[in-house]
């Protein structure tokens, strides 16, 4: 696996995305969803890389070769959740049946007033978290997002709700600025949402078992959590078809307490634990997986080095803190050992 997703062109031309969203605004969600069928076929024809990666992933999760119909369903599910962003970000929740699970634990952490890190992934819809703004209007939600990636989609969605756009913490800025923005949001008792399943080019990662083979996950979010020492809650917004979503919260930690000298050993174990929880959710909703690139590691010969036996725990590599351009490591240095409590 590499960070090739970073250099992939956007999933669809800007004009096509704008056209579908315009249909949604003028003709409603039902009409726009009908348009998604031919647009999914067009996407499959024009994007052989994503078609191939979808087939590889589905074959892995199903334990058999995936069919063309399953690949279509996978990409079509993705397009449905992209369309729903139009309505979720406009805060038109009346169209959706969103069932929440695990709110009591999330509220317990919020009552502490220290802020909460919501760790999400490219599984389902992260935008469905906006439901929380109605249930806890007293608690702001700050989303850490790379504005530069999928620029046309981001620009269009920011036009829909500029107030939400103003709350975004831009992940494309330098590390100290990101870290200070997150620290400030935590001091205000906010929920800070991050996607933690994709590695950034040139930044440290850890190899852990995931769906039967080693895959790399980023170290940066866990380093941030170990510095801030605030609660970590896993968040999954799973699309169930039609207008139905399940919004699930899983308490992960009341606050990661790891001394700086122990992080090289402790963080890989935390990431492996997270990957195991993510795998359970992926198997529960396999067509919600929206990482359309080669997610798993391959050996020098290009062969997938899967585990020898199912359930075997493979050794993990410690995070390479010395990698150049590591924004998380530099951000932690800004806070200093006194703030970190090490």
């Amino acid at each position: 696996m590499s960070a090739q997703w970073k250099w992939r062109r956007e999933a669809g031309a800007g004009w096509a995305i704008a056209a579908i969203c315009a249909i949604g605004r003028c003709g409603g969600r039902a009409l726009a969803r009908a348009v998604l069928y031919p647009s999914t076929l067009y996407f499959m024809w024009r994007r052989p890389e994503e078609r191939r990666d979808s087939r590889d992933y589905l074959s892995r999760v199903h334990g058999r070769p995936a069919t063309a119909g399953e690949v279509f369903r996978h990409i079509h599910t993705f397009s449905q959740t992209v369309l729903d962003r139009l309505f979720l970000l406009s805060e038109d929740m009346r169209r959706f049946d969103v069932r929440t699970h695990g709110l009591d634990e999330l509220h317990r952490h919020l009552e502490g007033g220290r802020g909460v890190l919501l760790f999400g992934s490219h599984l389902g819809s992260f935008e469905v978290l906006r439901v929380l703004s109605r249930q806890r209007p007293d608690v702001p939600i700050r989303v850490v997002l790379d504005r530069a990636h999928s620029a046309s989609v981001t620009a269009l969605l920011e036009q829909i709700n500029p107030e939400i756009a103003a709350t975004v913490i831009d992940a494309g800025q330098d590390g100290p600025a990101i870290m200070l923005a997150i620290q400030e949001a935590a001091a205000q008792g906010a929920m800070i949402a991050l996607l933690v399943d994709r590695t950034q080019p040139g930044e440290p990662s850890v190899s852990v078992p995931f769906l039967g083979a080693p895959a790399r996950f980023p170290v940066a979010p866990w380093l941030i959590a170990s510095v801030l020492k605030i609660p970590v809650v896993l968040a999954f917004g799973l699309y169930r078809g039609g207008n139905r979503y399940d919004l699930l919260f899983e308490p992960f930690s009341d606050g990661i307490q790891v001394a700086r000298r122990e992080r090289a050993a402790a963080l890989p174990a935390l990431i492996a634990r997270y990957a195991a929880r993510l795998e359970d959710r992926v198997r529960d909703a396999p067509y919600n997986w929206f990482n359309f690139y080669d997610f798993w590691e391959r050996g020098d010969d290009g062969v997938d080095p899967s585990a020898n036996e199912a359930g075997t725990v493979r050794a993990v590599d410690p995070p390479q803190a010395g990698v150049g351009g590591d924004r998380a490591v530099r951000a932690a240095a800004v806070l200093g050992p006194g703030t970190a409590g090490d």
Side-chain angles (χ1 to χ4, degrees):
M1 186 272 292
S2 68
Q4 58 174 292
W5 64 269
K6 194 74 174 178
W7 292 281
R8 288 254 177 114
R9 65 191 188 278
E10 291 188 52
W15 65 266
I17 296 169
I20 291 175
C21 288
I23 292 171
R25 286 195 298 266
C26 299
R29 182 171 177 265
L31 178 60
R33 282 167 61 88
V35 176
L36 293 180
Y37 286 97
S39 66
T40 299
L41 287 173
Y42 177 79
F43 184 92
M44 290 183 65
W45 172 56
R46 290 296 303 271
R47 301 297 286 269
E49 300 97 338
E50 283 82 355
R51 187 175 67 242
R52 176 201 63 213
D53 294 333
S54 171
R55 181 178 294 109
D56 288 348
Y57 155 73
L58 290 172
S59 298
R60 183 183 300 277
V61 76
H62 290 319
R64 55 166 176 76
T67 66
E70 289 169 332
V71 172
F72 178 90
R73 178 181 174 184
H74 187 200
I75 296 173
H76 185 250
T77 300
F78 170 65
S79 66
Q80 289 174 302
T81 63
V82 171
L83 172 65
D84 283 348
R85 292 183 193 176
L86 170 69
F87 304 101
L88 290 167
L89 290 175
S90 64
E91 300 183 320
D92 184 0
M93 303 298 181
R94 295 168 299 173
R95 301 173 181 268
F96 300 101
D97 176 14
V98 181
R99 303 176 185 182
T100 56
H101 311 266
L103 272 180
D104 289 344
E105 282 295 313
L106 177 61
H107 289 165
R108 179 178 68 82
H109 286 307
L110 290 173
E111 295 306 322
R114 296 185 293 156
V116 172
L117 288 171
L118 290 177
F119 279 4
S121 60
H122 293 81
L123 178 71
S125 173
F126 210 43
E127 280 76 16
V128 78
L129 282 174
R130 298 297 171 189
V131 171
L132 289 177
S133 63
R134 291 196 169 193
Q135 299 192 4
R136 289 300 300 261
D138 57 313
V139 180
I141 300 178
R142 304 293 305 277
V143 178
V144 181
L145 177 69
D146 188 347
R147 294 175 180 269
H149 189 66
S150 299
S152 64
V153 177
T154 302
L156 185 64
L157 295 178
E158 286 183 346
Q159 292 176 16
I160 297 171
N161 197 322
E163 291 185 6
I164 289 179
T167 67
V168 169
I169 297 174
D170 187 5
Q173 59 188 323
D174 63 76
I178 297 172
M179 191 68 218
L180 290 175
I182 293 174
Q183 185 185 31
E184 179 181 343
Q188 297 170 353
M191 292 179 281
I192 304 113
L194 304 89
L195 299 174
V196 302
D197 59 331
R198 287 185 182 177
T199 59
Q200 294 282 342
E203 295 192 352
S205 60
V206 169
S207 179
V208 300
F210 183 67
L211 289 177
R216 288 204 163 265
F217 288 81
V219 169
W222 304 95
L223 181 60
I224 291 171
S226 70
V227 169
L228 294 181
K229 295 178 171 58
I230 63 177
V232 176
V233 175
L234 307 186
F236 303 96
L238 303 180
Y239 178 58
R240 299 300 194 181
N243 68 338
R244 292 174 287 111
Y245 283 86
D246 279 336
L247 180 56
L248 305 103
F249 299 100
E250 294 185 16
F252 189 88
S253 171
D254 288 344
I256 295 174
Q257 306 284 339
V258 180
R260 184 168 304 181
R261 63 183 175 276
E262 299 172 358
R263 285 176 189 156
L267 293 187
L270 287 169
I271 295 170
R273 183 178 146 212
Y274 164 74
R277 295 305 309 134
L278 178 62
E279 179 172 332
D280 282 350
R281 294 302 182 189
V282 167
R283 292 191 182 281
D284 176 45
Y287 293 98
N288 276 238
W289 179 254
F290 301 145
N291 280 308
F292 290 97
Y293 66 97
D294 189 8
F295 194 81
W296 286 266
E297 289 188 300
R298 298 185 182 274
D300 294 337
D301 57 358
V303 176
D304 186 345
S306 299
N308 294 329
E309 298 180 7
T312 299
V313 178
R314 300 176 61 90
V316 296
D317 301 326
Q320 303 299 313
V323 175
D326 175 19
R327 291 182 293 196
V329 171
R330 289 186 286 117
V334 169
L335 295 179
T339 306
D342 297 342

